[in-house]
Amino acid sequence: IIVDGKGAVSERRLASHMGSAANPGGTLLPPSMTTVSSSVVAGKRAVVLSRPAAGASKQHANFTLQDLEIPFINALGSSPTFGYHARKTASSLPLWPTANQPVCLCKQPAAPF
């Protein structure tokens, strides 16, 4: 999922970190996201997106109730348009139950919630 400096959302299936001459930024996918909100406060953009757990195609990611985290690459572009990043890091988004539900802090793989 890529949000450019103007708030436009696109989806890509990434390949190697260098891409290729024919496909430097991975493959552009048909949109499967709905933008719930988009705002800029104090120069920082916040975008809330929604989409079904099942990917729209074989190229889109699928999510299940057994997923305990979603790995992602966080990148800050060198300009407002899609291109090479000025800064980047890899991380993951942990998935926990909603408020007022018990949380099991056990070894992975934990039972699905």
Side-chain angles (χ1 to χ4, degrees):
I1 302 163
I2 298 165
V3 180
D4 71 15
K6 296 179 182 174
V9 178
S10 62
E11 298 175 62
R12 292 182 176 268
R13 177 74 176 202
L14 299 179
S16 75
H17 72 286
M18 295 300 290
S20 68
N23 222 358
T27 303
L28 184 63
L29 300 175
S32 69
M33 300 273 176
T34 300
T35 302
V36 176
S37 65
S38 179
S39 61
V40 178
V41 176
K44 295 186 179 184
R45 180 172 301 282
V47 180
V48 177
L49 302 169
S50 176
R51 63 153 263 205
S57 74
K58 289 182 180 183
Q59 297 298 311
H60 289 82
N62 291 309
F63 305 102
T64 70
L65 294 176
Q66 288 75 33
D67 291 331
L68 296 178
E69 65 182 15
I70 299 172
F72 67 93
I73 301 168
N74 186 24
L76 177 65
S78 301
S79 73
T81 58
F82 177 71
Y84 194 75
H85 358 286
R87 290 180 281 186
K88 59 193 173 294
T89 189
S91 191
S92 63
L93 175 67
L95 303 176
W96 297 95
T98 57
N100 300 321
Q101 293 183 352
V103 174
C104 174
L105 298 176
C106 9
K107 287 186 170 184
Q108 287 188 357
F113 293 104

